[in-house]
Amino acid sequence: LLQGRVAGAGGSFQERRELFHGRLKRAHPAPRGAFVLRVRRSMLVADAFANCNDKPHNVWLQEWQVRFEGEAGVDWGGLQREMFTLLGRELTDSTKHYAG
């Protein structure tokens, strides 16, 4: 068993979690504002990859908002959940083959 303690590792789970997130945010600050991902339902996989492929790593720390092309809607989490659900289904559909 380890006898010593790592500095800052004591406290409750909540305190350790806050410490971890604080260090993570200081090391990798997220840009201000939301990353808006615009996709077409008919080209979901291609649009998602095209819009995410060339983005810097800190975009993954931002709030994400999803917009489906040609549809009115405000993303309060539902559109994002729908997009990731549809994307997961597309990528795991054994009848479709993606080049790569």
Side-chain angles (χ1 to χ4, degrees):
L1 293 175
L2 296 173
Q3 298 288 326
R5 298 190 125 213
V6 176
S12 68
F13 173 76
Q14 180 69 24
E15 291 168 331
R16 287 181 282 146
R17 185 173 70 136
E18 288 173 8
L19 177 68
F20 171 76
H21 284 279
R23 287 180 179 173
L24 184 63
K25 285 179 183 179
R26 280 192 304 279
H28 303 283
R32 293 195 182 275
F35 171 63
V36 179
L37 180 62
R38 298 179 191 283
V39 294
R40 297 167 290 179
R41 287 183 186 270
S42 62
M43 298 293 291
L44 185 64
V45 174
D47 287 352
F49 279 98
N51 284 298
C52 296
N53 191 35
D54 62 346
K55 300 296 184 251
H57 71 277
N58 59 358
V59 124
W60 300 99
L61 302 172
Q62 281 183 269
E63 172 191 349
W64 280 39
Q65 293 180 355
V66 172
R67 301 280 190 270
F68 285 103
E69 193 81 21
E71 298 181 24
V74 177
D75 189 359
W76 289 71
L79 294 177
Q80 187 179 109
R81 186 177 316 113
E82 181 180 5
M83 192 272 306
F84 279 109
T85 299
L86 294 172
L87 186 61
R89 285 184 189 149
E90 283 285 316
L91 292 174
T92 57
D93 186 345
S94 63
T95 64
K96 297 184 180 183
H97 302 281
Y98 295 100

